[in-house]
Amino acid sequence: MPAICGSLPCVLAPTSRLLELLELLQTQPLTTGREIADRLAIDRRTVRRYIATLQELGIPVEGERGVGGGYRVRPGYRLPPLMLSDDEAIVVVLGLIAARRLGLDSTTASVDGALAKIHRVLPDALRRQVEALETTLGFTTPTTAGAPVAGGAVLLLADAIRRRRRVRAGYRSFAGEETQRELSPHGLVVHSGRWYLAAHDHARDDMRTFRIDRMRRTSMTDSPALAPPEGFDAVAHVSRSLARVPWPWEVEVLLDLPVDEAAQRLPATLAELVDADEGTLLRMRVSSLDWMARVLAGLDCGFTIDRPDELRASVRALADRLTEWA
């Protein structure tokens, strides 16, 4: 099995059984002496000797006496070697490949660095199989061009959300305007290779959505964050924000569809859907009415255009082209 080392130097175990004991202690919160003896095919006296050896190596293995007692690694201690089974190592590699494919690599190309380290510690046979998997695995979806963010920034924001603390950060808008923000962060969301923060902006006294790759010099304060609105859903908030991006054209169309069916045909990040008596009111902001006409045609339902009037011309032009091609 591969041993993947963290920030501390790897400790070379005197025997394979000692390494197996170390793995057993990592995977269970409490392990009895009998379980260790049965797993390693050793007697109780040898169990105690192995435990003492781990303690001499600086690994804080604690013993609990009495009924229900056993051995455990002190909670919160990070073991120098992190040992993974073959299947676990493959899952880690697949996760890294998927992260790179989805545009979620960090600004320091940490995915490539992590893969290189894992390759170095894999047994030869497993490494060759993993390399074969990397070179032969295909995806039906195209690679996402993401906006890399520093891992430390994401961890800081996640910690602030968990601890309900405010954060301060410089922010660069889409137009390039630089501002200083004080925020009560409520949720992190990933969409199309970009990281977003749902937060209350104290200067504007409103909920806003921020691109994390546009945040600079982010720090957590000691001030308590405002509580999120009751029933707040960060994913729904960010989806609505993206659907309301101020493109040149504001579109409102009444669809001959119930709202739940319309939601299956249009992603929440693309359109705002409102339940109406006659069907579903679709609200979108778009940069091209010709593109909007193609979206409507692909919904396979009747519709009534409320605004803008110019959209009607784009729909008629598309209908004429389809008729000609047919």
Side-chain angles (χ1 to χ4, degrees):
M1 69 186 63
I4 300 177
C5 304
S7 57
L8 298 177
C10 287
V11 178
L12 296 178
T15 67
S16 60
R17 285 179 177 174
L18 189 57
L19 281 174
E20 195 172 352
L21 169 58
L22 190 55
E23 180 187 15
L24 184 61
L25 292 173
Q26 289 183 85
T27 56
Q28 296 185 189
L30 188 70
T31 309
T32 67
R34 178 180 294 277
E35 289 174 329
I36 296 173
D38 293 343
R39 173 73 175 269
L40 303 185
I42 56 179
D43 56 34
R44 295 291 191 88
R45 183 176 181 180
T46 306
V47 169
R48 291 191 292 271
R49 180 164 57 85
Y50 278 17
I51 293 295
T53 301
L54 290 178
Q55 292 170 337
E56 290 172 1
L57 291 171
I59 298 173
V61 180
E62 300 174 340
E64 296 185 7
R65 297 182 180 275
V67 178
Y71 299 98
R72 67 171 185 172
V73 176
R74 182 186 304 155
Y77 178 75
R78 296 180 61 185
L79 291 173
L82 172 62
M83 290 180 292
L84 304 174
S85 67
D86 290 359
D87 286 343
E88 290 168 341
I90 291 171
V91 168
V92 171
V93 170
L94 287 174
L96 291 170
I97 295 172
R100 184 169 56 192
R101 184 85 181 182
L102 295 173
L104 300 182
D105 201 356
S106 74
T107 53
T108 56
S110 55
V111 167
D112 288 339
L115 282 171
K117 290 177 181 178
I118 291 176
H119 283 181
R120 284 199 295 269
V121 298
L122 290 176
D124 289 342
L126 181 58
R127 185 181 68 252
R128 288 193 295 270
Q129 292 174 324
V130 167
E131 289 172 347
L133 178 62
E134 290 182 53
T135 57
T136 59
L137 181 64
F139 293 83
T140 58
T141 56
T143 301
T144 300
V149 299
V154 172
L155 292 177
L156 184 147
L157 291 171
D159 192 31
I161 294 169
R162 180 181 60 83
R163 297 171 62 184
R164 297 191 174 181
R165 299 287 182 84
R166 298 187 188 189
V167 297
R168 292 193 182 99
Y171 191 72
R172 176 178 53 81
S173 69
F174 176 77
E177 179 187 6
E178 298 279 353
T179 55
Q180 291 295 317
R181 306 294 183 106
E182 182 172 345
L183 310 172
S184 286
H186 297 320
L188 295 170
V189 178
V190 173
H191 172 69
S192 294
R194 289 175 170 81
W195 291 80
Y196 295 90
L197 174 69
H200 180 92
D201 188 333
H202 289 274
R204 292 153 180 79
D205 193 24
D206 196 10
M207 287 294 304
R208 297 294 174 91
T209 296
F210 300 90
R211 283 255 306 260
I212 296 178
D213 60 294
R214 294 178 181 164
M215 299 177 71
R216 301 289 184 271
R217 302 177 302 281
T218 305
S219 62
M220 182 164 50
T221 74
D222 293 329
S223 301
L226 291 181
E230 185 176 354
F232 179 74
D233 185 329
V235 173
H237 169 79
V238 171
S239 297
R240 288 193 299 268
S241 298
L242 295 177
R244 295 171 181 171
V245 171
W247 295 111
W249 297 101
E250 294 186 13
V251 173
E252 284 193 4
V253 177
L254 185 63
L255 305 177
D256 294 337
L257 283 176
V259 68
D260 55 344
E261 190 171 344
Q264 294 176 9
R265 305 185 189 187
L266 283 166
T269 54
L270 186 64
E272 181 181 1
L273 302 173
V274 180
D275 193 10
D277 293 338
E278 303 85 355
T280 299
L281 181 61
L282 177 151
R283 295 192 181 108
M284 290 178 61
R285 292 176 181 264
V286 300
S287 60
S288 167
L289 293 180
D290 289 343
W291 176 84
M292 185 69 219
R294 294 193 293 272
V295 171
L296 292 173
L299 293 178
D300 192 26
C301 71
F303 57 84
T304 302
I305 297 172
D306 289 344
R307 62 172 178 150
D309 291 337
E310 292 85 349
L311 179 57
R312 295 185 176 88
S314 293
V315 171
R316 293 191 188 100
L318 176 61
D320 290 342
R321 289 196 300 274
L322 292 175
T323 300
E324 180 183 350
W325 294 336

